[in-house]
Amino acid sequence: MKTKKKLLNVIYNQDARNILESIGSKTKVTTTITSPPYYDMKDYDSDNQVGYGQTYEDYLKDLKSIFAGVFEITEENGTLWIIIDTFKRNNQVITLPFDLSDKLKEVGWLLQDVIIWKKDKTVPWSTNGFMQRKFEYILFFSKSINYKSNKDSVRVYDTSQLKKWWIKYPERYNPKGKALDEVWEFPIPTQGSWGDEYIRHFCPLPQDMVATMIQISTDENDNILDPFAGSGTVLSQSAYMNRNYIGFELNEKYISMFEEYLEKTFSKYRKEYDQFSQNKDQGDFEKRILNLRSLKFARVLGNNIEKNIDFDNFKIFVVPKEASKIKNKLLRVEYQIIGQIDETIFLNEAKKLINKAPLSKFGIEPIFKFVISKKFNNKDHFGYTKTNTYSYVKNADLNSPKIKVISKICVDLNENDYL
Ligand SMILES: C[S@@+](CC[C@H](N)C(=O)[O-])C[C@H]1O[C@@H](n2cnc3c(N)ncnc32)[C@H](O)[C@@H]1O
């Protein structure tokens, strides 16, 4: 019986120049994440290596042809991440990231982003020149203009990074968090975290940085390629995150070290990934922003109604419902208008207000209900004033005219805590 060749979750001890021959054009990858040798900076101790022993022109020519092959086996919506740096020769900077990106454009890759990877330690040759080197480049390419990008899943939802403004202006913040910017800070792995022998052989990429790239450009079960696998950070991280990997590496020694390492670490990091996937914090932040928006919507609406039609003898009770089905709206919220007021006049004015900024920008689909009176208690209900819907009034008399917005939502945020 003929045994079927394994195509996924393999590392080929082969020259990356033979990608197409090795994996055939039928297997497709969603993304490639790789850090090729930086020209002749390092001898990786194998024949036919790219970079070491070559002229700069031959080196670029080989990389161009390798990434042309990668282009061919990449899905239409696929992407390519290259971590690379400049270096000095004859007292001048050689702009390798840009020379390479020109070559890649010639074979069809579209350069989408140039990211600065800020790291706190640098490689030995970085002492050239008079400034300390602190960053490398990440080039992000796509095969077509419609490329896969799960941007929301890597938004920064650590509220301490958002400064205080999200408290007062929740409508300006995406409930899924702040978008990533173009400077990424990831320290390079240090001795101890990987075991000394491992570190001596490689300059491994930071695991979290690779995880971010994987998260942005793939889904579970997608295929990920690294044609210059080295210590195999990209491959092992793919395995932890439930993706398939394909790697190429000329040096056999590195391959056996990678296989051993993956076996030792797989269950620990898979568990971490499973926990991360539940994304608890992001859910919390999203809920907070939507709560703040629901309350502020009532306050802004109430203040404007008062100003425009001179009604002031009412309170608004806020009851968030379910996710909205309307485009650009996130949440349906019931607003119970409590007091003796003319419903038609109120609704006419409210309609005008909710269809223009600022209320049209809140992502809220309001439903109005009119109630003559309602009983509130300080245990289940929280009262807010005309000027503040981000911290409730402590021990408030909820019947007092000062309290304009009431809800079961309890927010008690102090902007000074988030400076
Ligand atoms: C900069 S290192 C990659 C480091 C890797 N990203 C990591 O996290 O450890 C480049 C690797 O490419 C390998 N290499 C060089 N030329 C190659 C070729 N023609 N085909 C496959 N691998 C090659 C080298 O042996 C080296 O391990």
Side-chain angles (χ1 to χ4, degrees):
M1 202 176 71
K2 224 174 139 192
T3 48
K4 217 170 152 197
K5 205 169 113 196
K6 194 176 166 208
L7 293 171
L8 296 172
N9 302 318
V10 279
I11 172 159
Y12 292 93
N13 182 208
Q14 281 186 33
D15 194 327
R17 295 175 184 92
N18 304 328
I19 283 182
L20 282 180
E21 294 79 2
S22 304
I23 60 181
S25 53
K26 277 209 185 105
T27 307
K28 297 278 180 205
V29 300
T30 309
T31 201
T32 295
I33 302 173
T34 195
S35 166
Y38 297 0
Y39 182 39
D40 59 359
M41 294 299 169
K42 196 170 166 190
D43 180 359
Y44 290 101
D45 205 14
S46 45
D47 297 337
N48 300 326
Q49 54 186 306
V50 170
Y52 194 78
Q54 288 192 297
T55 64
Y56 189 57
E57 286 66 34
D58 283 348
Y59 161 73
L60 283 179
K61 214 165 108 197
D62 278 349
L63 285 185
K64 177 178 171 181
S65 111
I66 290 168
F67 288 112
V70 173
F71 188 83
E72 220 173 302
I73 57 159
T74 296
E75 311 254 20
E76 268 318 296
N77 65 352
T79 47
L80 163 67
W81 301 83
I82 300 182
I83 298 100
I84 193 111
D85 203 8
T86 58
F87 58 91
K88 275 201 165 175
R89 197 49 53 94
N90 302 324
N91 294 315
Q92 279 192 68
V93 172
I94 307 293
T95 52
L96 169 56
F98 305 102
D99 297 345
L100 178 62
S101 113
D102 286 344
K103 297 278 178 213
L104 264 57
K105 282 182 202 166
E106 288 168 21
V107 297
W109 286 108
L110 310 174
L111 182 61
Q112 295 298 344
D113 276 301
V114 177
I115 296 155
I116 298 296
W117 165 27
K118 186 167 179 283
K119 46 188 203 171
D120 49 7
K121 285 229 171 72
T122 39
V123 276
W125 59 85
S126 63
T127 46
N128 261 346
F130 66 94
M131 280 183 267
Q132 250 196 324
R133 308 217 48 204
K134 290 271 180 186
F135 73 85
E136 290 190 24
Y137 290 88
I138 301 172
L139 307 175
F140 179 55
F141 298 89
S142 68
K143 181 158 175 171
S144 66
I145 49 171
N146 296 316
Y147 55 95
K148 188 180 271 197
S149 137
N150 304 322
K151 289 188 197 114
D152 277 351
S153 68
V154 287
R155 280 174 179 271
V156 180
Y157 43 81
D158 171 3
T159 46
S160 62
Q161 296 197 27
L162 295 175
K163 303 247 164 36
K164 61 182 177 176
W165 300 107
W166 63 274
I167 294 175
K168 281 192 168 172
Y169 301 98
E171 67 278 17
R172 295 185 194 166
Y173 288 93
N174 189 311
K176 300 222 175 294
K178 183 172 150 265
L180 278 184
D181 61 42
E182 293 163 310
V183 180
W184 292 10
E185 267 188 84
F186 290 99
I188 49 173
T190 47
Q191 285 204 359
S193 60
W194 286 60
D196 294 355
E197 203 190 350
Y198 221 58
I199 272 306
R200 239 183 297 134
H201 282 281
F202 308 108
C203 314
L205 297 171
Q207 248 179 292
D208 288 349
M209 184 169 91
V210 172
T212 303
M213 296 168 176
I214 293 178
Q215 193 69 27
I216 292 176
S217 45
T218 64
D219 295 309
E220 290 192 356
N221 301 315
D222 281 347
N223 301 338
I224 297 174
L225 170 72
D226 184 351
F228 302 101
S231 64
T233 321
V234 172
L235 313 183
S236 49
Q237 194 59 41
S238 303
Y240 306 148
M241 294 172 72
N242 211 4
R243 276 76 168 167
N244 300 308
Y245 64 80
I246 306 170
F248 284 78
E249 173 53 58
L250 276 180
N251 192 320
E252 230 170 300
K253 256 194 344 212
Y254 299 175
I255 297 184
S256 27
M257 284 174 78
F258 155 73
E259 283 166 346
E260 210 180 291
Y261 180 77
L262 181 61
E263 207 177 301
K264 269 206 301 227
T265 56
F266 180 80
S267 60
K268 175 177 173 224
Y269 289 118
R270 167 57 67 84
K271 213 191 247 161
E272 255 181 35
Y273 167 71
D274 287 341
Q275 278 162 1
F276 162 83
S277 315
Q278 290 166 6
N279 241 345
K280 195 175 158 295
D281 291 342
Q282 190 169 16
D284 283 354
F285 180 67
E286 190 169 357
K287 202 164 162 210
R288 271 179 161 192
I289 288 279
L290 290 177
N291 276 341
L292 288 169
R293 285 195 193 189
S294 305
L295 294 173
K296 185 174 173 185
F297 188 96
R299 172 163 63 88
V300 173
L301 179 78
N303 288 350
N304 279 293
I305 296 258
E306 253 187 66
K307 200 169 81 198
N308 297 354
I309 54 175
D310 221 14
F311 278 179
D312 65 355
N313 197 14
F314 67 91
K315 296 183 192 300
I316 306 182
F317 184 55
V318 182
V319 190
K321 297 283 184 187
E322 61 285 310
S324 173
K325 294 199 175 71
I326 299 177
K327 197 174 166 237
N328 295 329
K329 300 288 176 214
L330 303 165
L331 189 67
R332 259 167 92 88
V333 182
E334 184 177 287
Y335 291 101
Q336 297 181 12
I337 314 301
I338 299 160
Q340 301 261 13
I341 51 161
D342 185 316
E343 291 180 24
T344 320
I345 300 181
F346 186 98
L347 278 178
N348 278 343
E349 190 56 31
K351 216 178 261 166
K352 281 189 237 159
L353 290 166
I354 64 179
N355 287 321
K356 62 176 198 209
L359 291 181
S360 59
K361 308 267 185 222
F362 275 56
I364 283 182
E365 178 197 347
I367 335 162
F368 294 107
K369 262 198 178 168
F370 292 86
V371 182
I372 294 193
S373 72
K374 195 176 175 88
K375 282 209 159 54
F376 296 109
N377 68 67
N378 287 75
K379 208 168 111 249
D380 302 320
H381 299 123
F382 302 89
Y384 302 87
T385 63
K386 234 179 158 136
T387 51
N388 175 339
T389 34
Y390 49 86
S391 48
Y392 73 96
V393 183
K394 313 293 170 309
N395 306 314
D397 168 6
L398 296 176
N399 296 312
S400 137
K402 269 194 177 159
I403 300 296
K404 291 289 179 188
V405 174
I406 301 177
S407 178
K408 285 190 173 176
I409 299 173
C410 172
V411 279
D412 190 16
L413 297 167
N414 179 350
E415 58 187 304
N416 294 328
D417 293 343
Y418 295 90
L419 281 177

